[in-house]
């Protein structure tokens, strides 16, 4: 299936001969870039009040740092320490010093992991960021390694199921390039890399000795799994902040002075107030930057005449100050509202925007749609949350950890029961129900006003204001919240399943259109499959039948809806089988301008989906041993790797000098459950019996069987998959 980010096969030759190389490189970089680490660094420094050189310069003369920077016997420097000790700003300062070195000829690439942002919290994101910096501002000629893998992949190659394989290959090729200059690779907060951290750690530890031109600098908390992985690395140097207490405390003292200067100017402190604040912070900071920052944030909210009296109520220690913020929220007249906000922000799968907040949390009516009111409400959540470009996230990973853990003292209140009084399941269920309600209210046909049925997705402008702004999160994640609201032992409440069925019966096509506009069709197809599996597990047979039809509909017409959103109401409905529940439910949505509709099948046939993208006859198909990938080789000299579950083309392999006649996965262990194709290729045979006749358009030029799924390649360039529920 062709990705929306790749050119149709028929246009490739024209593209290759007519499009300039610069345009091709720009397209590759667009696909590669998920975020710009330089902007992330700037945002971090902005949120933390600016980078103060005096708070990090001590490290520049530290023996371990100098050994790493100047000698070849230390290729990896691990800066480790407890939360709030200033690791991130320390690395920001080191990056600046390395970049400002006038004698420097080395490359510098860096990445800041943040567990509160899904774009910044996984191993593939780290590699995307490092590669992006290396091939843009450092050595642009290295983009050749990205170009080789990018062509034919599109954006999915850098964020799909095989993205780690693709990116680690690009990364390794860059490190092996003889043209690579000396390179510093810097990764902050490895503990906040929550996705595939083990793969990233193995890559770091395993690549040291092989690439002497490269030096690594990483930071993290003192976590055993990170220590265990990095201990396998040779030429590793530790810089433990707890063992440098005097230097860190001196840096914190400098930071305190800077923050007091800002407070005194803003709040017009007199000398006595200024001195009292400084004494208290110096005495109680205990070498923790974050504690100082949180106290100063609270002081900024109160009048100067209250500062000294209230100052002494701030307890030392991060957990203690989080407990105090919790108690303040409990005493607020808006306690229930703030509790709901904190609970939702704790369970969402990515940071949400102010626009999305009212769709997920029951907010006061007067605040919905009012950015200023919503901002004020979020700010009432103490210093747990922060706002950046109207996006809500935790001020620090330790704040989220506090909310998700029990109280740290035996006499303290159970924090989990405070944030989740009915449990996390209840919060997930609330987000699910509110998401359906919001989508049901907002989604409608042609929500962007495209009018033309074939309007291509690549030409769709986002309206201002965006009618999907409030439900972007809900459209992608509502099924995930439904799944999390139902544990293995739970029987879902009837209203939960009724809400899901009502939404799909009334809004399914509108939801598919929205997913296309959000470039999230793959996520939608996978969500429906998850929903089918969930309902089967809890024995909801009637609804499962309906969902299965919805899944077949999405799987069959995913490609065309992804290319042109309004085709959900035209091609998909026109060619859907007469017996399709989707066709029946949305009969009124069929185009009135087609006077004579084609004759279609009575019901869904055995073909699960059609995978389109090859421009020539398909000569060979093969499943991976686990059935999670399907490969097809074609007369057009390409090999395509597919995800059979979503129909997404994950990768296109070019470079063959002739047509591809045979392909196979390594470690192939296929078991066909008795199914095979007859010698004349007109019948599927099971246990010696003809069980399924193949019409001419379904007859294969090649085929493969994995479990109870048959994949058939045809002369048209299409690949069909046919699934059987049991052996005959």
């Amino acid at each position: 299936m062709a990705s929306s980010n790749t050119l149709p096969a028929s246009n490739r030759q024209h593209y290759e001969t007519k499009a300039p190389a610069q345009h091709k490189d720009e397209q590759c970089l667009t696909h590669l870039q998920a975020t710009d680490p330089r902007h992330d660094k700037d945002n971090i420094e902005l949120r933390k009040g600016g980078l103060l050189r005096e708070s990090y310069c001590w490290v520049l003369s530290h023996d371990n740092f100098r050994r790493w920077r100047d000698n070849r016997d230390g290729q990896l420097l691990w800066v480790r320490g407890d939360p709030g000790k200033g690791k991130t700003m320390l690395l920001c300062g080191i990056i600046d010093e390395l970049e400002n070195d006038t004698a420097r000829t080395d490359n510098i690439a860096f990445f800041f992991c943040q567990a509160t942002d899904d774009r910044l919290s996984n191993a593939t994101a780290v590699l995307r960021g490092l590669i992006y910096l290396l091939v843009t501002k450092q050595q642009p000629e290295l983009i050749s390694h990205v170009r080789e893998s990018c062509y034919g992949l599109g954006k999915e190659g850098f964020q799909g199921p095989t993205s780690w394989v693709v990116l680690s290959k690009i990364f390794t090729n860059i490190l092996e390039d003889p043209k690579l200059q000396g390179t510093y690779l810097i990764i902050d907060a490895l503990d906040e890399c929550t996705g595939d951290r083990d793969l990233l750690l193995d890559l770091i530890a395993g690549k040291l000795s092989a690439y002497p031109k490269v030096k690594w600098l990483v930071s993290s908390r003192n976590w055993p799994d990170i220590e265990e992985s990095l201990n396998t690395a040779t030429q590793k140097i530790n810089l433990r902040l707890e063992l440098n207490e005097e230097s860190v405390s001196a840096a914190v003292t400098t930071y305190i002075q800077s923050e007091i200067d800002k407070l005194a100017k803003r709040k017009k402190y007199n000398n006595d107030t200024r001195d009292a604040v400084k004494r208290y912070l110096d005495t109680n900071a205990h070498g923790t930057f974050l504690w100082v920052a949180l106290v100063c944030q609270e002081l900024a909210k109160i009048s100067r005449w209250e500062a000294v009296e209230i100052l002494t109520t701030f307890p030392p220690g991060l957990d203690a100050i989080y407990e105090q913020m919790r108690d303040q929220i409990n005493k607020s007249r808006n306690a229930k509202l703030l509790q709901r906000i904190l609970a939702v922000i704790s369970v969402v799968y990515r940071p949400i925007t102010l626009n999305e907040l009212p769709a997920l949390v029951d907010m006061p009516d007067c605040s919905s749609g009012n950015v200023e009111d919503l901002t004020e409400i979020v700010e009432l959540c103490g210093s747990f949350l922060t706002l950046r470009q109207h996006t809500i996230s935790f001020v620090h990973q330790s704040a989220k950890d506090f909310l998700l853990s029990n109280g740290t003292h035996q006499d303290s209140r159970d924090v989990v029961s405070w944030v989740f009084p009915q449990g996390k399941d209840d919060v997930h269920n609330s987000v699910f129900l509110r998401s359906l309600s919001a989508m049901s209210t907002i989604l409608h046909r042609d929500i962007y006003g495209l009018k033309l049925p074939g309007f291509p997705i690549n030409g769709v402008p986002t309206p201002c204001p965006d009618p999907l702004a409030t439900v972007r999160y809900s459209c992608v994640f509502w099924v995930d919240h439904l799944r999390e609201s139902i544990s293995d032992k739970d029987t879902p409440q009837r209203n939960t399943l009724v809400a899901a069925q009502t939404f799909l019966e009334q809004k399914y096509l509108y939801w598919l259109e929205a997913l296309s506009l959000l470039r999230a069709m793959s996520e939608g197809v996978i969500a429906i499959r998850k929903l089918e599996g969930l309902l089967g597990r809890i024995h909801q047979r009637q609804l499962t039948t309906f969902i299965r039809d919805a899944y077949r509909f999405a799987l069959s017409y995913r490609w065309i809806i992804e290319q042109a959103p309004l085709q959900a109401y035209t091609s998909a409905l026109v060619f859907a089988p007469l017996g399709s529940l989707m066709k029946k439910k949305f009969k009124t949505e069929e185009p009135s301008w087609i006077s004579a509709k084609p004759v279609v099948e009575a019901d869904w046939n055995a073909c699960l989906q059609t995978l389109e993208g090859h421009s020539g006859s398909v000569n060979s198909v093969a499943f991976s041993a686990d059935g999670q990938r399907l490969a097809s080789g074609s007369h057009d000299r390409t090999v395509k790797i597919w995800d059979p579950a979503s129909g997404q083309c994950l990768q296109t392999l070019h470079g063959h000098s002739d047509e591809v006649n045979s392909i196979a996965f390594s470690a192939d262990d296929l078991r066909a459950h008795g199914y095979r194709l007859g010698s004349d290729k007109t019948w599927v045979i099971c246990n010696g019996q003809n069980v399924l006749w193949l019409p001419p358009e379904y007859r294969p030029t090649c085929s493969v069987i994995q479990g109870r799924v048959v994949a058939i390649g045809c002369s048209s360039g299409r690949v069909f998959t046919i699934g059987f529920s049991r052996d005959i």
Side-chain angles (χ1 to χ4, degrees), residues 607 609-612 614 616-623 630-635 642 660 663 677 681 694-705 710-722:
C607 176
Q609 59 181 320
T610 303
L611 310 176
E612 302 205 36
H614 285 299
S617 173
V618 177
N619 300 330
S620 181
V621 287
F623 275 108
L630 174 66
S632 56
S634 172
H635 185 77
W642 310 87
V660 180
I663 56 173
L677 287 173
K681 299 181 180 180
L694 299 175
E697 64 269 24
Y698 290 90
R699 290 174 190 169
T701 55
C702 57
S703 63
V704 67
I705 299 176
V710 180
I712 295 174
C714 299
S715 58
S716 63
R718 295 177 173 180
V719 178
F720 296 97
T721 57
I722 303 173

Side-chain angles (χ1 to χ4, degrees), residues 252-540:
V252 170
T253 298
T254 302
Y255 177 66
I256 289 172
Q257 185 63 59
S258 174
E259 291 300 293
I260 289 176
D261 288 344
K262 295 176 186 176
L263 273 174
K265 183 176 182 180
R266 176 178 176 180
K267 308 298 290 187
K268 296 183 172 61
Y269 286 168
N270 59 33
N271 290 338
D272 290 342
T273 300
R274 182 190 185 109
D275 292 343
V277 172
K278 185 177 187 308
R279 280 195 305 272
Y280 190 81
L281 295 181
D282 284 338
T283 303
N284 295 280
H286 301 313
T288 304
F289 288 89
L290 180 58
W291 183 86
V292 175
L294 293 175
V295 172
C296 289
Q297 284 178 27
E298 294 300 310
L299 288 174
K301 300 175 185 177
I302 61 178
S303 301
R304 65 175 181 272
W305 57 268
E306 298 178 285
V308 175
E309 180 181 354
I310 294 179
L311 179 66
T312 57
T313 66
F314 296 118
L318 283 180
D319 278 350
I321 203 167
Y322 286 144
E323 288 176 0
Q324 183 189 58
M325 290 192 298
R326 177 199 64 196
D327 293 341
Q328 289 175 347
I329 289 174
N330 281 338
K331 296 174 184 177
S332 166
R333 66 175 181 272
N334 299 307
K336 294 296 183 182
L337 170 61
L338 305 184
Q339 176 185 326
R340 291 196 301 269
I341 292 173
L342 289 172
V344 168
I345 301 302
S346 296
V347 303
V348 291
Y349 296 96
R350 65 157 171 81
I352 61 172
T353 65
L354 287 175
N355 285 328
E356 293 166 333
L357 182 63
L360 307 180
V361 181
D362 185 14
M363 303 290 289
D365 291 340
C366 60
S367 67
S368 296
N370 188 313
V371 172
E372 291 183 359
D373 288 349
L374 292 173
T375 299
E376 184 177 336
I377 291 172
V378 170
E379 289 175 346
L380 292 175
C381 291
S383 293
F384 285 114
L385 304 179
T386 184
L387 274 172
R388 183 180 67 185
Q389 297 176 343
H390 291 176
T391 297
I392 310 165
S393 59
F394 282 103
V395 66
H396 191 266
Q397 181 62 25
S398 60
K400 181 176 182 179
D401 292 343
F402 176 83
L403 292 178
L404 295 176
S405 66
N406 290 319
T408 56
H409 305 292
Q410 291 183 351
D411 59 345
S412 67
R413 186 174 179 179
D414 184 340
V415 179
V416 171
S417 65
W418 170 64
V419 181
F420 308 111
Q422 305 300 321
K424 283 187 186 179
D425 294 356
D426 183 68
V427 178
H428 282 291
N429 188 61
S430 174
V431 172
F432 157 70
L433 291 174
R434 291 191 61 83
S435 291
L436 289 195
S437 176
M439 290 189 294
S440 297
T441 301
I442 292 170
L443 299 185
H444 59 80
R445 180 169 176 159
D446 195 10
I447 194 168
Y448 276 10
L450 304 180
K451 297 182 180 179
L452 297 177
F455 202 111
I457 188 65
N458 288 337
V460 173
T462 302
C464 186
D466 181 1
L468 292 176
T470 58
V471 292
R472 283 176 169 263
Y473 179 89
S474 299
C475 283
V476 176
F477 294 106
W478 68 271
V479 172
D480 293 290
H481 286 288
L482 172 59
R483 293 177 75 206
E484 289 296 325
S485 71
I486 303 172
S487 67
D488 290 338
K489 297 180 180 179
D490 285 347
T491 299
Q493 297 181 359
R494 177 172 174 77
N495 69 315
T496 297
L497 297 182
V498 168
Q501 183 167 356
T502 301
F503 170 74
L504 292 172
E505 288 180 345
Q506 296 178 355
K507 302 289 183 174
Y508 186 64
L509 293 189
Y510 308 154
W511 178 54
L512 292 183
E513 177 197 337
L515 288 171
S516 177
L517 293 169
L518 297 174
R519 278 67 168 178
M521 274 298 294
S522 294
E523 291 89 335
V525 172
I526 292 172
I528 290 296
R529 191 184 186 194
K530 289 178 182 177
L531 184 57
E532 181 186 359
L534 170 66
L535 296 173
R537 175 165 61 82
I538 59 178
H539 308 296
Q540 297 292 323

